[in-house]
Amino acid sequence: MSTILCIETASTNCSVAIGVNGKLLALKEDYDSSYSHAERLHIFIKEILAENNLALSDLDAIAVSKGPGSYTGLRIGVSAAKGLCFSLDLPLISVATLTSLANQVENEGTIIPMMDARRMEVYTAVFDKDKNQIEETSAKILDVDSYKEYLDEQVVYFIGSGVEKFKKICEHPNAQYIEGKLPSSSQMVDLANIKHKKSDFEDVAYFEPYYLKDFMVG
């Protein structure tokens, strides 16, 4: 039996879930756009454990969304996860943010998750109908011809915080936009459990978030 605490802070959504044997036991999240992760994350962890009569000692692993996404959000989430792993001597599991975002799509078809970056840029990847990643994660500047090779062949589902900007410039009939969705720890539960079964763990001392691009101070 595996009980895994999942932490997702790659976007404005501060999200914490508990998974037991790959099934979602509980979820606590807040889509507050003010990036209040530093204030809320540890409170959410404490509350979700208490509400489910669990103690930190009942956990078998900590899973964290590794990015790409918000630099500050990722740093806060990974720091919290590593701190818990150090203090509790637990394994650390990382889950790709775009993979868990793609897993929110229930329809069959090509899936393109998008995390909003600067201007017309998004962090993105491409997944097939079976949720297998078929195009590597990248920072992409959107234009009217973006993903035309996929759209001309089949229905493509776009999901994430970058959808709004792409919808304004792409009116292809095969483009299906799933709006208002952000990465959630609820989608990390099964992915984290699969990694736990394989003992696919990170080195707690050296693990860093996948920022994709260097942090820029404006």
Side-chain angles (χ1 to χ4, degrees), residues 169-214:
I169 62 172
C170 177
E171 298 180 353
H172 198 289
N174 279 339
Q176 297 293 314
Y177 298 105
I178 303 173
E179 300 180 78
K181 295 292 187 180
L182 294 175
S184 170
S185 57
S186 62
Q187 299 298 321
M188 295 173 60
V189 169
D190 181 52
L191 297 169
N193 186 60
I194 291 171
K195 282 196 164 188
H196 187 264
K197 287 180 177 179
K198 297 177 181 177
S199 296
D200 185 359
F201 304 138
E202 302 292 345
D203 186 313
V204 178
Y206 295 102
F207 176 73
E208 293 290 337
Y210 180 40
Y211 294 121
L212 189 57
K213 294 180 67 177
D214 292 335

mmCIF file of all heavy atoms in Angstrom, residues 169-214:
data_model
loop_
_atom_site.group_PDB
_atom_site.id
_atom_site.type_symbol
_atom_site.label_atom_id
_atom_site.label_comp_id
_atom_site.label_asym_id
_atom_site.label_seq_id
_atom_site.Cartn_x
_atom_site.Cartn_y
_atom_site.Cartn_z
ATOM 1 N N ILE A 169 -5.794 33.541 -32.164
ATOM 2 C CA ILE A 169 -5.154 33.588 -33.483
ATOM 3 C C ILE A 169 -5.379 32.330 -34.318
ATOM 4 O O ILE A 169 -5.056 32.307 -35.498
ATOM 5 C CB ILE A 169 -3.633 33.841 -33.357
ATOM 6 C CG1 ILE A 169 -2.949 32.707 -32.594
ATOM 7 C CG2 ILE A 169 -3.367 35.186 -32.675
ATOM 8 C CD1 ILE A 169 -1.429 32.801 -32.610
ATOM 9 N N CYS A 170 -5.932 31.291 -33.713
ATOM 10 C CA CYS A 170 -6.138 30.037 -34.443
ATOM 11 C C CYS A 170 -7.627 29.685 -34.485
ATOM 12 O O CYS A 170 -8.233 29.408 -33.451
ATOM 13 C CB CYS A 170 -5.345 28.901 -33.804
ATOM 14 S SG CYS A 170 -5.615 27.295 -34.598
ATOM 15 N N GLU A 171 -8.184 29.679 -35.683
ATOM 16 C CA GLU A 171 -9.603 29.350 -35.858
ATOM 17 C C GLU A 171 -9.780 28.064 -36.664
ATOM 18 O O GLU A 171 -10.808 27.856 -37.292
ATOM 19 C CB GLU A 171 -10.323 30.513 -36.543
ATOM 20 C CG GLU A 171 -10.303 31.810 -35.734
ATOM 21 C CD GLU A 171 -11.021 32.942 -36.437
ATOM 22 O OE1 GLU A 171 -11.415 32.761 -37.607
ATOM 23 O OE2 GLU A 171 -11.196 34.006 -35.808
ATOM 24 N N HIS A 172 -8.788 27.215 -36.619
ATOM 25 C CA HIS A 172 -8.857 25.957 -37.374
ATOM 26 C C HIS A 172 -10.033 25.121 -36.870
ATOM 27 O O HIS A 172 -10.255 25.007 -35.661
ATOM 28 C CB HIS A 172 -7.554 25.175 -37.194
ATOM 29 C CG HIS A 172 -7.347 24.122 -38.223
ATOM 30 N ND1 HIS A 172 -8.097 22.953 -38.272
ATOM 31 C CD2 HIS A 172 -6.475 24.034 -39.281
ATOM 32 C CE1 HIS A 172 -7.697 22.210 -39.280
ATOM 33 N NE2 HIS A 172 -6.718 22.830 -39.915
ATOM 34 N N PRO A 173 -10.824 24.536 -37.764
ATOM 35 C CA PRO A 173 -12.004 23.762 -37.338
ATOM 36 C C PRO A 173 -11.678 22.539 -36.483
ATOM 37 O O PRO A 173 -12.542 22.048 -35.759
ATOM 38 C CB PRO A 173 -12.657 23.350 -38.664
ATOM 39 C CG PRO A 173 -11.573 23.464 -39.686
ATOM 40 C CD PRO A 173 -10.719 24.601 -39.236
ATOM 41 N N ASN A 174 -10.463 22.042 -36.549
ATOM 42 C CA ASN A 174 -10.083 20.877 -35.750
ATOM 43 C C ASN A 174 -9.523 21.244 -34.385
ATOM 44 O O ASN A 174 -9.175 20.351 -33.605
ATOM 45 C CB ASN A 174 -9.048 20.027 -36.500
ATOM 46 C CG ASN A 174 -9.697 19.111 -37.526
ATOM 47 O OD1 ASN A 174 -10.888 18.823 -37.435
ATOM 48 N ND2 ASN A 174 -8.919 18.658 -38.490
ATOM 49 N N ALA A 175 -9.444 22.530 -34.094
ATOM 50 C CA ALA A 175 -8.921 22.972 -32.802
ATOM 51 C C ALA A 175 -10.033 23.001 -31.760
ATOM 52 O O ALA A 175 -11.048 23.677 -31.935
ATOM 53 C CB ALA A 175 -8.291 24.344 -32.926
ATOM 54 N N GLN A 176 -9.855 22.230 -30.696
ATOM 55 C CA GLN A 176 -10.811 22.202 -29.583
ATOM 56 C C GLN A 176 -10.123 22.777 -28.337
ATOM 57 O O GLN A 176 -9.093 22.249 -27.916
ATOM 58 C CB GLN A 176 -11.277 20.772 -29.315
ATOM 59 C CG GLN A 176 -12.024 20.136 -30.474
ATOM 60 C CD GLN A 176 -13.361 20.810 -30.734
ATOM 61 O OE1 GLN A 176 -14.124 21.074 -29.804
ATOM 62 N NE2 GLN A 176 -13.644 21.102 -31.996
ATOM 63 N N TYR A 177 -10.693 23.833 -27.801
ATOM 64 C CA TYR A 177 -10.053 24.526 -26.687
ATOM 65 C C TYR A 177 -10.730 24.182 -25.358
ATOM 66 O O TYR A 177 -11.943 24.355 -25.204
ATOM 67 C CB TYR A 177 -10.091 26.034 -26.916
ATOM 68 C CG TYR A 177 -9.331 26.451 -28.152
ATOM 69 C CD1 TYR A 177 -10.004 26.829 -29.316
ATOM 70 C CD2 TYR A 177 -7.945 26.448 -28.171
ATOM 71 C CE1 TYR A 177 -9.313 27.184 -30.455
ATOM 72 C CE2 TYR A 177 -7.230 26.813 -29.306
ATOM 73 C CZ TYR A 177 -7.924 27.182 -30.442
ATOM 74 O OH TYR A 177 -7.230 27.533 -31.573
ATOM 75 N N ILE A 178 -9.938 23.688 -24.424
ATOM 76 C CA ILE A 178 -10.433 23.383 -23.082
ATOM 77 C C ILE A 178 -9.911 24.490 -22.170
ATOM 78 O O ILE A 178 -8.749 24.511 -21.784
ATOM 79 C CB ILE A 178 -9.943 22.002 -22.617
ATOM 80 C CG1 ILE A 178 -10.388 20.935 -23.620
ATOM 81 C CG2 ILE A 178 -10.463 21.684 -21.220
ATOM 82 C CD1 ILE A 178 -9.807 19.556 -23.340
ATOM 83 N N GLU A 179 -10.792 25.429 -21.864
ATOM 84 C CA GLU A 179 -10.374 26.640 -21.157
ATOM 85 C C GLU A 179 -10.555 26.514 -19.645
ATOM 86 O O GLU A 179 -11.324 25.692 -19.155
ATOM 87 C CB GLU A 179 -11.166 27.838 -21.685
ATOM 88 C CG GLU A 179 -10.953 28.086 -23.178
ATOM 89 C CD GLU A 179 -11.730 29.272 -23.691
ATOM 90 O OE1 GLU A 179 -11.286 30.418 -23.451
ATOM 91 O OE2 GLU A 179 -12.789 29.063 -24.328
ATOM 92 N N GLY A 180 -9.848 27.355 -18.936
ATOM 93 C CA GLY A 180 -9.991 27.437 -17.482
ATOM 94 C C GLY A 180 -9.346 26.309 -16.712
ATOM 95 O O GLY A 180 -9.613 26.124 -15.526
ATOM 96 N N LYS A 181 -8.478 25.534 -17.358
ATOM 97 C CA LYS A 181 -7.835 24.411 -16.689
ATOM 98 C C LYS A 181 -6.372 24.728 -16.386
ATOM 99 O O LYS A 181 -5.646 25.235 -17.233
ATOM 100 C CB LYS A 181 -7.915 23.149 -17.553
ATOM 101 C CG LYS A 181 -9.325 22.628 -17.785
ATOM 102 C CD LYS A 181 -9.936 22.083 -16.512
ATOM 103 C CE LYS A 181 -11.272 21.423 -16.780
ATOM 104 N NZ LYS A 181 -11.884 20.876 -15.542
ATOM 105 N N LEU A 182 -5.965 24.395 -15.179
ATOM 106 C CA LEU A 182 -4.579 24.535 -14.756
ATOM 107 C C LEU A 182 -4.083 23.187 -14.237
ATOM 108 O O LEU A 182 -4.889 22.316 -13.909
ATOM 109 C CB LEU A 182 -4.462 25.587 -13.646
ATOM 110 C CG LEU A 182 -4.784 27.033 -14.017
ATOM 111 C CD1 LEU A 182 -4.747 27.916 -12.771
ATOM 112 C CD2 LEU A 182 -3.814 27.566 -15.072
ATOM 113 N N PRO A 183 -2.773 22.989 -14.158
ATOM 114 C CA PRO A 183 -2.262 21.749 -13.574
ATOM 115 C C PRO A 183 -2.812 21.527 -12.175
ATOM 116 O O PRO A 183 -2.944 22.474 -11.397
ATOM 117 C CB PRO A 183 -0.745 21.980 -13.542
ATOM 118 C CG PRO A 183 -0.492 22.977 -14.612
ATOM 119 C CD PRO A 183 -1.691 23.882 -14.602
ATOM 120 N N SER A 184 -3.149 20.292 -11.860
ATOM 121 C CA SER A 184 -3.726 19.944 -10.564
ATOM 122 C C SER A 184 -3.024 18.717 -9.994
ATOM 123 O O SER A 184 -2.685 17.787 -10.728
ATOM 124 C CB SER A 184 -5.224 19.652 -10.707
ATOM 125 O OG SER A 184 -5.759 19.105 -9.515
ATOM 126 N N SER A 185 -2.829 18.720 -8.690
ATOM 127 C CA SER A 185 -2.191 17.574 -8.036
ATOM 128 C C SER A 185 -3.046 16.310 -8.159
ATOM 129 O O SER A 185 -2.538 15.197 -8.030
ATOM 130 C CB SER A 185 -1.926 17.884 -6.562
ATOM 131 O OG SER A 185 -3.127 18.226 -5.889
ATOM 132 N N SER A 186 -4.333 16.474 -8.427
ATOM 133 C CA SER A 186 -5.209 15.304 -8.575
ATOM 134 C C SER A 186 -4.763 14.427 -9.742
ATOM 135 O O SER A 186 -4.908 13.204 -9.713
ATOM 136 C CB SER A 186 -6.661 15.748 -8.783
ATOM 137 O OG SER A 186 -6.793 16.514 -9.970
ATOM 138 N N GLN A 187 -4.208 15.051 -10.789
ATOM 139 C CA GLN A 187 -3.753 14.304 -11.951
ATOM 140 C C GLN A 187 -2.366 13.706 -11.753
ATOM 141 O O GLN A 187 -1.886 12.934 -12.584
ATOM 142 C CB GLN A 187 -3.751 15.214 -13.179
ATOM 143 C CG GLN A 187 -5.116 15.764 -13.538
ATOM 144 C CD GLN A 187 -6.117 14.676 -13.883
ATOM 145 O OE1 GLN A 187 -5.755 13.691 -14.527
ATOM 146 N NE2 GLN A 187 -7.359 14.843 -13.482
ATOM 147 N N MET A 188 -1.703 14.083 -10.664
ATOM 148 C CA MET A 188 -0.381 13.535 -10.369
ATOM 149 C C MET A 188 -0.451 12.186 -9.677
ATOM 150 O O MET A 188 0.523 11.421 -9.687
ATOM 151 C CB MET A 188 0.391 14.504 -9.465
ATOM 152 C CG MET A 188 0.726 15.846 -10.084
ATOM 153 S SD MET A 188 1.439 16.967 -8.855
ATOM 154 C CE MET A 188 2.897 16.041 -8.342
ATOM 155 N N VAL A 189 -1.593 11.881 -9.065
ATOM 156 C CA VAL A 189 -1.705 10.712 -8.186
ATOM 157 C C VAL A 189 -1.322 9.412 -8.888
ATOM 158 O O VAL A 189 -0.485 8.648 -8.402
ATOM 159 C CB VAL A 189 -3.128 10.635 -7.603
ATOM 160 C CG1 VAL A 189 -3.361 9.292 -6.918
ATOM 161 C CG2 VAL A 189 -3.373 11.782 -6.626
ATOM 162 N N ASP A 190 -1.937 9.132 -10.016
ATOM 163 C CA ASP A 190 -1.661 7.883 -10.723
ATOM 164 C C ASP A 190 -0.239 7.865 -11.270
ATOM 165 O O ASP A 190 0.466 6.844 -11.185
ATOM 166 C CB ASP A 190 -2.668 7.688 -11.859
ATOM 167 C CG ASP A 190 -2.445 6.379 -12.609
ATOM 168 O OD1 ASP A 190 -2.382 5.323 -11.956
ATOM 169 O OD2 ASP A 190 -2.314 6.418 -13.842
ATOM 170 N N LEU A 191 0.201 8.992 -11.828
ATOM 171 C CA LEU A 191 1.551 9.079 -12.383
ATOM 172 C C LEU A 191 2.603 8.861 -11.303
ATOM 173 O O LEU A 191 3.616 8.182 -11.521
ATOM 174 C CB LEU A 191 1.751 10.445 -13.046
ATOM 175 C CG LEU A 191 0.844 10.739 -14.249
ATOM 176 C CD1 LEU A 191 0.954 12.211 -14.646
ATOM 177 C CD2 LEU A 191 1.206 9.851 -15.431
ATOM 178 N N ALA A 192 2.374 9.440 -10.129
ATOM 179 C CA ALA A 192 3.315 9.266 -9.016
ATOM 180 C C ALA A 192 3.337 7.820 -8.533
ATOM 181 O O ALA A 192 4.401 7.277 -8.192
ATOM 182 C CB ALA A 192 2.939 10.201 -7.869
ATOM 183 N N ASN A 193 2.179 7.179 -8.514
ATOM 184 C CA ASN A 193 2.105 5.796 -8.060
ATOM 185 C C ASN A 193 2.862 4.866 -9.006
ATOM 186 O O ASN A 193 3.537 3.922 -8.560
ATOM 187 C CB ASN A 193 0.642 5.361 -7.958
ATOM 188 C CG ASN A 193 0.487 3.980 -7.344
ATOM 189 O OD1 ASN A 193 0.895 3.742 -6.212
ATOM 190 N ND2 ASN A 193 -0.112 3.055 -8.092
ATOM 191 N N ILE A 194 2.760 5.124 -10.302
ATOM 192 C CA ILE A 194 3.493 4.313 -11.283
ATOM 193 C C ILE A 194 4.994 4.424 -11.047
ATOM 194 O O ILE A 194 5.727 3.433 -11.066
ATOM 195 C CB ILE A 194 3.138 4.766 -12.718
ATOM 196 C CG1 ILE A 194 1.681 4.396 -13.036
ATOM 197 C CG2 ILE A 194 4.087 4.138 -13.739
ATOM 198 C CD1 ILE A 194 1.158 4.979 -14.334
ATOM 199 N N LYS A 195 5.456 5.650 -10.798
ATOM 200 C CA LYS A 195 6.884 5.843 -10.530
ATOM 201 C C LYS A 195 7.301 5.199 -9.206
ATOM 202 O O LYS A 195 8.401 4.661 -9.083
ATOM 203 C CB LYS A 195 7.214 7.344 -10.518
ATOM 204 C CG LYS A 195 7.322 7.963 -11.900
ATOM 205 C CD LYS A 195 8.027 9.308 -11.838
ATOM 206 C CE LYS A 195 8.497 9.753 -13.202
ATOM 207 N NZ LYS A 195 9.349 10.959 -13.157
ATOM 208 N N HIS A 196 6.408 5.241 -8.224
ATOM 209 C CA HIS A 196 6.720 4.648 -6.921
ATOM 210 C C HIS A 196 6.901 3.139 -7.054
ATOM 211 O O HIS A 196 7.813 2.555 -6.452
ATOM 212 C CB HIS A 196 5.608 4.975 -5.921
ATOM 213 C CG HIS A 196 5.909 4.550 -4.521
ATOM 214 N ND1 HIS A 196 5.468 3.349 -3.997
ATOM 215 C CD2 HIS A 196 6.609 5.158 -3.531
ATOM 216 C CE1 HIS A 196 5.885 3.241 -2.749
ATOM 217 N NE2 HIS A 196 6.574 4.323 -2.439
ATOM 218 N N LYS A 197 6.056 2.509 -7.837
ATOM 219 C CA LYS A 197 6.163 1.063 -8.046
ATOM 220 C C LYS A 197 7.500 0.680 -8.686
ATOM 221 O O LYS A 197 8.029 -0.402 -8.430
ATOM 222 C CB LYS A 197 5.010 0.566 -8.926
ATOM 223 C CG LYS A 197 3.658 0.529 -8.233
ATOM 224 C CD LYS A 197 2.595 0.018 -9.187
ATOM 225 C CE LYS A 197 1.243 -0.094 -8.516
ATOM 226 N NZ LYS A 197 0.191 -0.563 -9.463
ATOM 227 N N LYS A 198 8.013 1.569 -9.527
ATOM 228 C CA LYS A 198 9.271 1.309 -10.229
ATOM 229 C C LYS A 198 10.485 1.800 -9.442
ATOM 230 O O LYS A 198 11.617 1.677 -9.917
ATOM 231 C CB LYS A 198 9.255 1.998 -11.595
ATOM 232 C CG LYS A 198 8.186 1.494 -12.548
ATOM 233 C CD LYS A 198 8.215 2.299 -13.845
ATOM 234 C CE LYS A 198 7.149 1.835 -14.824
ATOM 235 N NZ LYS A 198 7.153 2.669 -16.054
ATOM 236 N N SER A 199 10.238 2.385 -8.265
ATOM 237 C CA SER A 199 11.310 3.034 -7.477
ATOM 238 C C SER A 199 12.043 4.077 -8.309
ATOM 239 O O SER A 199 13.271 4.217 -8.245
ATOM 240 C CB SER A 199 12.297 1.985 -6.947
ATOM 241 O OG SER A 199 11.655 1.101 -6.046
ATOM 242 N N ASP A 200 11.270 4.797 -9.112
ATOM 243 C CA ASP A 200 11.813 5.849 -9.975
ATOM 244 C C ASP A 200 11.835 7.150 -9.173
ATOM 245 O O ASP A 200 10.922 7.974 -9.254
ATOM 246 C CB ASP A 200 10.946 5.986 -11.227
ATOM 247 C CG ASP A 200 11.515 6.972 -12.233
ATOM 248 O OD1 ASP A 200 12.573 7.571 -11.951
ATOM 249 O OD2 ASP A 200 10.886 7.160 -13.299
ATOM 250 N N PHE A 201 12.886 7.314 -8.391
ATOM 251 C CA PHE A 201 12.973 8.435 -7.458
ATOM 252 C C PHE A 201 14.053 9.425 -7.876
ATOM 253 O O PHE A 201 14.985 9.087 -8.608
ATOM 254 C CB PHE A 201 13.282 7.921 -6.046
ATOM 255 C CG PHE A 201 12.306 6.901 -5.530
ATOM 256 C CD1 PHE A 201 12.746 5.777 -4.837
ATOM 257 C CD2 PHE A 201 10.940 7.044 -5.746
ATOM 258 C CE1 PHE A 201 11.850 4.832 -4.363
ATOM 259 C CE2 PHE A 201 10.033 6.103 -5.272
ATOM 260 C CZ PHE A 201 10.494 4.989 -4.576
ATOM 261 N N GLU A 202 13.927 10.648 -7.362
ATOM 262 C CA GLU A 202 14.919 11.684 -7.601
ATOM 263 C C GLU A 202 15.932 11.709 -6.460
ATOM 264 O O GLU A 202 15.651 11.236 -5.355
ATOM 265 C CB GLU A 202 14.248 13.063 -7.703
ATOM 266 C CG GLU A 202 13.186 13.186 -8.779
ATOM 267 C CD GLU A 202 13.769 13.117 -10.177
ATOM 268 O OE1 GLU A 202 14.999 13.266 -10.334
ATOM 269 O OE2 GLU A 202 12.980 12.897 -11.122
ATOM 270 N N ASP A 203 17.098 12.262 -6.752
ATOM 271 C CA ASP A 203 18.091 12.502 -5.710
ATOM 272 C C ASP A 203 17.669 13.757 -4.959
ATOM 273 O O ASP A 203 17.685 14.859 -5.526
ATOM 274 C CB ASP A 203 19.474 12.694 -6.342
ATOM 275 C CG ASP A 203 20.585 12.809 -5.316
ATOM 276 O OD1 ASP A 203 20.412 13.572 -4.337
ATOM 277 O OD2 ASP A 203 21.624 12.160 -5.487
ATOM 278 N N VAL A 204 17.264 13.603 -3.724
ATOM 279 C CA VAL A 204 16.710 14.716 -2.963
ATOM 280 C C VAL A 204 17.697 15.876 -2.850
ATOM 281 O O VAL A 204 17.318 17.045 -2.902
ATOM 282 C CB VAL A 204 16.271 14.252 -1.553
ATOM 283 C CG1 VAL A 204 15.731 15.431 -0.742
ATOM 284 C CG2 VAL A 204 15.208 13.161 -1.672
ATOM 285 N N ALA A 205 18.962 15.562 -2.718
ATOM 286 C CA ALA A 205 19.964 16.612 -2.531
ATOM 287 C C ALA A 205 20.166 17.455 -3.784
ATOM 288 O O ALA A 205 20.383 18.666 -3.694
ATOM 289 C CB ALA A 205 21.289 15.989 -2.102
ATOM 290 N N TYR A 206 20.069 16.827 -4.954
ATOM 291 C CA TYR A 206 20.456 17.520 -6.179
ATOM 292 C C TYR A 206 19.298 17.846 -7.127
ATOM 293 O O TYR A 206 19.502 18.522 -8.144
ATOM 294 C CB TYR A 206 21.502 16.690 -6.929
ATOM 295 C CG TYR A 206 22.798 16.557 -6.164
ATOM 296 C CD1 TYR A 206 23.097 15.382 -5.485
ATOM 297 C CD2 TYR A 206 23.701 17.612 -6.106
ATOM 298 C CE1 TYR A 206 24.280 15.261 -4.768
ATOM 299 C CE2 TYR A 206 24.887 17.501 -5.392
ATOM 300 C CZ TYR A 206 25.169 16.320 -4.718
ATOM 301 O OH TYR A 206 26.334 16.214 -4.002
ATOM 302 N N PHE A 207 18.119 17.386 -6.827
ATOM 303 C CA PHE A 207 16.992 17.629 -7.732
ATOM 304 C C PHE A 207 16.656 19.116 -7.829
ATOM 305 O O PHE A 207 16.598 19.818 -6.829
ATOM 306 C CB PHE A 207 15.754 16.858 -7.268
ATOM 307 C CG PHE A 207 14.534 17.142 -8.106
ATOM 308 C CD1 PHE A 207 14.429 16.628 -9.382
ATOM 309 C CD2 PHE A 207 13.509 17.942 -7.618
ATOM 310 C CE1 PHE A 207 13.311 16.897 -10.170
ATOM 311 C CE2 PHE A 207 12.391 18.216 -8.388
ATOM 312 C CZ PHE A 207 12.297 17.692 -9.670
ATOM 313 N N GLU A 208 16.426 19.582 -9.041
ATOM 314 C CA GLU A 208 16.018 20.964 -9.294
ATOM 315 C C GLU A 208 14.804 20.959 -10.218
ATOM 316 O O GLU A 208 14.648 20.053 -11.043
ATOM 317 C CB GLU A 208 17.154 21.751 -9.958
ATOM 318 C CG GLU A 208 18.372 21.975 -9.078
ATOM 319 C CD GLU A 208 18.088 22.953 -7.941
ATOM 320 O OE1 GLU A 208 17.146 23.754 -8.071
ATOM 321 O OE2 GLU A 208 18.804 22.887 -6.923
ATOM 322 N N PRO A 209 13.938 21.974 -10.115
ATOM 323 C CA PRO A 209 12.792 22.047 -11.021
ATOM 324 C C PRO A 209 13.243 22.194 -12.473
ATOM 325 O O PRO A 209 14.350 22.668 -12.746
ATOM 326 C CB PRO A 209 12.059 23.320 -10.562
ATOM 327 C CG PRO A 209 12.565 23.611 -9.196
ATOM 328 C CD PRO A 209 13.965 23.100 -9.156
ATOM 329 N N TYR A 210 12.367 21.813 -13.378
ATOM 330 C CA TYR A 210 12.627 21.961 -14.806
ATOM 331 C C TYR A 210 12.083 23.314 -15.239
ATOM 332 O O TYR A 210 10.941 23.443 -15.649
ATOM 333 C CB TYR A 210 11.956 20.823 -15.571
ATOM 334 C CG TYR A 210 12.143 20.867 -17.071
ATOM 335 C CD1 TYR A 210 13.359 21.218 -17.635
ATOM 336 C CD2 TYR A 210 11.099 20.518 -17.916
ATOM 337 C CE1 TYR A 210 13.527 21.245 -19.007
ATOM 338 C CE2 TYR A 210 11.262 20.533 -19.293
ATOM 339 C CZ TYR A 210 12.477 20.901 -19.829
ATOM 340 O OH TYR A 210 12.641 20.927 -21.192
ATOM 341 N N TYR A 211 12.930 24.347 -15.133
ATOM 342 C CA TYR A 211 12.484 25.697 -15.452
ATOM 343 C C TYR A 211 12.339 25.908 -16.950
ATOM 344 O O TYR A 211 11.603 26.766 -17.393
ATOM 345 C CB TYR A 211 13.482 26.717 -14.902
ATOM 346 C CG TYR A 211 13.565 26.747 -13.389
ATOM 347 C CD1 TYR A 211 14.766 26.500 -12.736
ATOM 348 C CD2 TYR A 211 12.442 27.025 -12.614
ATOM 349 C CE1 TYR A 211 14.852 26.528 -11.354
ATOM 350 C CE2 TYR A 211 12.519 27.065 -11.236
ATOM 351 C CZ TYR A 211 13.727 26.823 -10.604
ATOM 352 O OH TYR A 211 13.805 26.857 -9.249
ATOM 353 N N LEU A 212 13.054 25.151 -17.753
ATOM 354 C CA LEU A 212 13.076 25.217 -19.218
ATOM 355 C C LEU A 212 13.823 26.439 -19.716
ATOM 356 O O LEU A 212 14.635 26.370 -20.619
ATOM 357 C CB LEU A 212 11.659 25.191 -19.812
ATOM 358 C CG LEU A 212 11.560 25.033 -21.325
ATOM 359 C CD1 LEU A 212 12.255 23.771 -21.797
ATOM 360 C CD2 LEU A 212 10.105 25.015 -21.778
ATOM 361 N N LYS A 213 13.532 27.605 -19.106
ATOM 362 C CA LYS A 213 14.239 28.825 -19.486
ATOM 363 C C LYS A 213 14.799 29.481 -18.245
ATOM 364 O O LYS A 213 14.265 29.311 -17.140
ATOM 365 C CB LYS A 213 13.298 29.797 -20.190
ATOM 366 C CG LYS A 213 12.796 29.299 -21.531
ATOM 367 C CD LYS A 213 11.865 30.301 -22.184
ATOM 368 C CE LYS A 213 12.604 31.557 -22.563
ATOM 369 N NZ LYS A 213 11.743 32.523 -23.257
ATOM 370 N N ASP A 214 15.884 30.234 -18.412
ATOM 371 C CA ASP A 214 16.477 30.938 -17.278
ATOM 372 C C ASP A 214 15.519 31.976 -16.739
ATOM 373 O O ASP A 214 14.780 32.624 -17.490
ATOM 374 C CB ASP A 214 17.786 31.622 -17.683
ATOM 375 C CG ASP A 214 18.870 30.621 -18.008
ATOM 376 O OD1 ASP A 214 18.800 29.491 -17.487
ATOM 377 O OD2 ASP A 214 19.782 30.973 -18.777
#
